[in-house]
Structure formats: C-alpha cells, structure tokens
C-alpha cells in the first residue's frame, strides 16, 4: 500500500544516517534554515529513502524542503524520482523568473570578479533570502573576497506573512531586516543599503533616522534609495542634511531604451543632488536582449512573461532593428549596444546586469568595450525619446524668456514676444 503524507503529518522514523532531531526537522519540511550546510544531503537522502519504501510525498512538502533546506536544483538533483524532481523545479521558482543553480551563481560571481567587477547588488526578499545566502556562502565568509567588493542589499520586503511590522520602512523593520541580511550575507557590514521602495505609511524622517543609527553603529556604510518618487527622495535628503544625518548617495531606478519616463523627474533630481544612478533592467526584462525580433515573433517564449509580454510589439521591434544595425557596425550584439547606450546617459554611474546564466554575463560584460558615436546615440535617442508633460514640455521656450537674446552656456534664442518686443522699454 502506498501511503500519501502531507508535509505536516510525516511520522518520525529511525534512519541511521540522520542524527538526533534531523528527521524531526525534515518532518517540518525544512523549517529550520540550514545555514551551516550540514544537513542538506541528509534531508535529500531521507526523502529518497522514503521514496524507495513506497512513500509518496505531497508536492507541498517537496517545495518546502527545496525552499528552506537547499537550492531547488540541489534537492531535485539529489532525488532519483522524476515526478518529485519535476515538482520541485516547477513549484519552487521565483514568481517572475527562473533561478540559477547555486553552482552557476558561484561561477557567475567568480567570473564577474575576475573580470574586474566589484559591485554586487541583491535584496532581502530575492528568492526568499536565498540570494543573500548564496552571496554570503561564497563571498561573505571569505575576507579576501569580501574586502575588495561593494555589497549592496535592500530592505522593505516583508518575509513574514501576517506581520505588518515585518516589512516596510519603519524603524523596527529596517533594523531587523538589516540584522537578518548581515546574517545571511555572513558579513558585519553592508556597503550600500537601499530603501527598496517607498513605504507610504512611514514618515521619511523615521526611516532616515533608523538608517543613520545603522551607519553610526558600523553595520552600514552608505545608503541609497530605489523606486521612489523624486519629491520624496528630495524630502528625505534635505531632512537628513539639515539634521546632520547620512543622506542617500545612490538612486536605483528602472531605465532602458524602452523605459525613459525617469528622465522627466528622477534623472534630473539625481544629477542635481549628486546621486549616482544605478539602472535596473537595462534590457527591459530581455526585450532588448536580441532574442525577440521580427523574424522570431511568436517563436521564442520569455522567462519573465509578466514583465516582458507587454513590450513585445512594433515599437520594440523598431528599436531592435536599429540596435542590430549598430551592433553589426561594432561587431557586437544587440544586448551590448543597448547597455552601452544606457551607460552613456548623463548621471549613470553603474548598471545592474541580471544575468541568470554565465553566457549572458560574458556577453553583457563586453558592453563596456562598446563606444557608440554621437550619431548612433542620437539615432537611438530619437527612436524612444519620451514626451513629457508640464512643466517640462515648456522648457524649450524658457531660453527666449530668460536670456534676453544672448547666448547662455551655449544656448541662444531671440527675445520672446511674451516678454519684450525689440525697441520696447520696461516700465
């Protein structure tokens, strides 16, 4: 008879390869966090042993074991049962993207560092904290690597359903999130700590005061802000500077040839306040990777359909067509040219590459060698130039109002009739 167990109801059993308490932890589907890595193999062997005895696990148990105990690929690979492997891989993914395996993540980190990269960005809730743990296991515990790298992570994400104080930007959440990130990253300080997104329920001065305390305690070196309106960033930094607190030094925003609305307020604000701009999704969830062209329309399925599908359209194909032309001129690729355009934009200091495979990283890294001509930049700019609303849509007439018919900083305009006609005299 095959018995079907729920993850909560698996009975204890004396397996010789499990130390005291280990099988109890496995019964709880890996609710302990195996940060020491000592029992991952034991859990996999325990599952396999039960499978060999005819036990059929519910998918929920396998998913929890994969999420809490090890990388989904690790546990799946250790189990000799096709149905269980498929269940783990299918049900243990991030909602919007496929995972890299731990091994490939380590290879990507090593290759990035070997190529001269020194800035690694993550967040507390990426893959439920596993992203931070992978970085900690591979880099945090190695002082020779850790000391030469800038490690950035973010707070705001709530990992504790049912707890309203488990996320957001209140003091309790900010400090606790930092402590958990430090533990997973296996380091005693975070180089750059980002506010991940604006928490409308928390006064910004409470957030800035908590961040100041983290900086003064040595747990955080610098702070930055992501996905927040320009006016709120200005309020935060002005408040911090008046009170002698640490202010935001970086701005992380979505920015690409297909996402330029940030040029209306956020980019000018960052340049005015001296915040370094760090774009995320430079390839617009893969739309500018070169995979999605007129020829391949309908033939290639993206991994991030939720974000990607709305942008596979005629406008994107027109941009990719031009990117292909420029890429051929540089003996390069569509993705590299798209990243090179972004790197050439005013205020951009670093670009986040979300490579999931080593081959993607290798290609994207070569974007640093692409130098687009002024004419090529203008061609790409013209294809996606955004139309801004008020008051930016009036800025073109301001030199005629301000400059009195002279040239100021290289900009000339005849006097505006709205101000003074030639020969008129002011009252």
């Amino acid at each position: 008879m095959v018995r079907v167990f729920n993850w909560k109801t698996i009975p204890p059993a004396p397996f010789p390869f499990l130390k005291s308490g280990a099988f109890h932890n496995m019964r709880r589907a890996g609710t302990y966090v195996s940060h020491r890595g000592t029992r991952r193999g034991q859990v996999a062997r325990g599952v396999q042993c039960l499978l060999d005895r005819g036990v059929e696990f519910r998918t929920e148990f396998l998913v929890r074991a994969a999420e809490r105990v090890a990388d989904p690929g690790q546990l799946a690979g250790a189990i000799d049962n096709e149905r269980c492997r498929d269940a783990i891989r299918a049900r243990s993914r991030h909602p919007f993207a496929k995972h890299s395996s731990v091994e490939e993540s380590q290879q990507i980190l090593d290759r990035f560092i070997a190529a001269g990269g020194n800035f690694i960005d993550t967040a507390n809730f990426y893959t439920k904290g596993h992203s931070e743990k992978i970085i900690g296991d591979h880099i945090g515990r190695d002082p020779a690597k850790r000391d030469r790298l800038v490690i950035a992570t973010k707070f705001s994400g709530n990992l504790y359903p049912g707890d309203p104080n488990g996320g957001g930007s209140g003091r309790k959440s900010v400090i606790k999130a930092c402590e958990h990130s430090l533990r997973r990253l296996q380091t005693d300080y975070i180089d750059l700590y980002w506010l991940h997104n604006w928490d409308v329920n928390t006064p910004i001065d409470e957030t800035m005061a908590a961040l100041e305390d983290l900086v003064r305690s040595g747990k955080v070196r610098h702070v930055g802000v992501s996905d927040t309106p320009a006016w709120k960033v200005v309020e935060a930094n002005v408040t911090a500077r008046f009170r002698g607190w640490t202010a935001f030094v970086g701005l992380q925003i979505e920015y690409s040839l297909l996402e330029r609305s940030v040029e209306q307020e956020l980019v000018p604000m960052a340049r005015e306040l001296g915040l370094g701009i760090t774009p995320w999704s430079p390839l617009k969830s893969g739309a500018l990777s070169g995979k999605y062209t007129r020829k391949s329309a309908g033939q290639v399925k993206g991994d991030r359909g939720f974000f990607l599908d709305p942008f596979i359209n005629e406008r994107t194909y027109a941009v990719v067509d031009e990117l292909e032309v420029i890429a051929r001129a540089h003996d390069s690729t569509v993705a590299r040219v798209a990243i090179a355009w972004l790197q050439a934009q005013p205020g951009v200091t670093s670009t986040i590459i979300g490579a999931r495979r080593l081959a993607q990283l290798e290609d994207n890294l070569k974007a640093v060698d692409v130098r687009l001509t002024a004419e090529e930049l203008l061609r790409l700019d013209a294809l996606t130039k955004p139309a801004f609303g008020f008051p930016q849509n009036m800025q073109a007439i301001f030199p005629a109002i301000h400059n009195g018919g002279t040239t100021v900083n290289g900009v000339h305009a005849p006097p505006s009739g709205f101000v003074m006609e030639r020969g008129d005299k002011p009252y």
Side-chain angles (χ1 to χ4, degrees):
M1 180 181 70
V2 176
R3 301 180 63 191
V4 180
F5 291 110
N6 187 297
W7 67 271
K8 289 184 178 179
T9 60
I10 294 178
F15 292 105
F17 51 79
L18 293 173
K19 296 179 181 178
S20 175
F23 188 77
H24 173 69
N25 284 329
M26 193 176 77
R27 286 177 59 215
R28 295 169 57 212
T31 50
Y32 75 111
V33 178
S34 181
H35 62 277
R36 296 182 183 85
T38 56
R39 290 176 177 171
R40 291 177 181 172
Q42 291 174 338
V43 171
R45 291 196 299 275
V47 172
Q48 184 63 55
C49 183
L50 289 172
L51 286 168
D52 293 341
R53 294 187 179 196
V55 172
E56 181 178 341
F57 290 95
R58 293 192 188 279
T59 300
E60 287 78 3
F61 173 84
L62 297 168
V63 170
R64 286 205 175 205
E67 289 174 347
R68 300 294 185 89
V69 178
D71 175 89
Q74 278 186 318
L75 189 59
I79 294 175
D80 184 21
N81 182 288
E82 185 175 356
R83 185 194 68 81
C84 291
R85 287 200 304 269
D86 291 344
I88 292 170
R89 288 167 176 155
R91 295 285 298 277
S92 300
R93 293 174 182 158
H94 189 277
F96 304 127
K98 293 181 179 178
H99 291 311
S100 299
S101 68
V102 172
E103 292 76 12
E104 188 157 26
S105 297
Q106 293 170 345
Q107 291 170 6
I108 289 171
L109 289 169
D110 285 340
R111 177 68 187 99
F112 176 69
I113 295 169
N118 69 346
F119 177 42
I120 297 173
D121 182 79
T122 186
N124 69 323
F125 71 78
Y126 290 169
T127 57
K128 306 177 181 69
H130 195 205
S131 175
E132 287 185 327
K133 186 177 184 303
I134 291 171
I135 295 170
D137 287 344
H138 195 55
I139 292 172
R141 65 175 62 172
D142 185 345
K145 291 181 180 178
R146 174 66 187 98
D147 291 345
R148 61 174 289 209
L149 296 174
V150 174
I151 294 180
T153 191
K154 311 178 191 74
F155 65 91
S156 292
N158 194 327
L159 293 170
Y160 308 97
D163 178 8
N165 295 308
S169 302
R171 174 179 288 273
K172 178 180 176 66
S173 173
V174 172
I175 293 175
K176 184 55 66 176
C178 181
E179 291 172 351
H180 286 310
S181 288
L182 289 169
R183 172 179 57 81
R184 286 188 290 261
L185 290 167
Q186 301 187 48
T187 182
D188 54 6
Y189 69 96
I190 295 166
D191 292 289
L192 178 57
Y193 202 35
W194 300 98
L195 186 160
H196 203 156
N197 28 58
W198 178 36
D199 175 9
V200 300
N201 298 305
T202 301
I204 197 64
D205 56 343
E206 178 181 339
T207 304
M208 301 307 289
L211 291 172
E212 169 66 9
D213 289 345
L214 290 174
V215 172
R216 286 184 178 274
S217 69
K219 295 178 180 178
V220 169
R221 298 290 191 258
H222 301 280
V223 298
V225 60
S226 171
D227 305 346
T228 297
W231 62 268
K232 181 55 68 171
V233 177
V234 172
E235 179 189 354
N237 266 21
V238 169
T239 299
R241 288 171 180 174
F242 272 131
R243 297 183 180 179
W245 297 343
T246 300
F248 294 133
V249 298
L251 176 72
Q252 189 170 148
I253 51 177
E254 183 179 5
Y255 195 7
S256 72
L257 273 165
L258 296 180
E259 179 50 74
R260 297 181 61 185
S261 60
V262 293
E263 293 176 9
Q264 177 156 350
E265 294 283 356
L266 286 161
V267 169
M269 177 274 298
R271 297 182 66 193
E272 183 70 19
L273 296 185
L275 276 67
I277 299 174
T278 303
W280 57 268
S281 197
L283 300 179
K284 193 60 177 176
S285 298
L288 300 174
S289 65
K291 290 169 57 178
Y292 307 97
T293 64
R294 295 181 194 277
K295 293 180 180 178
S296 68
Q299 302 174 25
V300 182
K301 184 66 176 176
D303 296 333
R304 307 189 71 189
F306 179 85
F307 293 109
L308 175 66
D309 291 347
F311 295 94
I312 302 304
N313 51 35
E314 179 58 35
R315 178 172 179 259
T316 296
Y317 291 146
V319 175
V320 172
D321 286 346
E322 189 61 40
L323 289 169
E324 287 180 331
V325 172
I326 295 174
R328 284 195 293 270
H330 289 264
D331 191 23
S332 189
T333 66
V334 166
R336 293 178 211 165
V337 174
I339 294 172
W341 175 88
L342 185 55
Q343 290 175 307
Q345 299 312 297
V348 173
T349 56
S350 182
T351 303
I352 294 176
I353 297 173
R356 185 169 57 86
R357 295 190 299 272
L358 191 59
Q360 293 172 330
L361 177 71
E362 295 283 4
D363 181 77
N364 291 176
L365 286 177
K366 294 176 183 176
V368 299
D369 299 321
V370 178
R371 295 290 182 268
L372 301 180
T373 67
E375 188 265 341
E376 289 169 336
L377 289 170
L378 286 173
R379 279 158 52 193
L380 291 171
D381 183 75
L383 278 174
T384 60
K385 194 173 185 63
F388 296 143
F390 179 86
Q392 279 84 353
N393 60 0
M394 293 185 64
Q395 283 183 323
I397 69 171
F398 291 165
I401 296 174
H402 299 161
N403 298 359
T406 67
T407 299
V408 177
N409 288 333
V411 177
H412 174 79
S416 170
F418 288 110
V419 180
M420 187 72 67
E421 296 286 354
R422 186 174 296 279
D424 286 348
K425 293 183 179 181
Y427 289 100

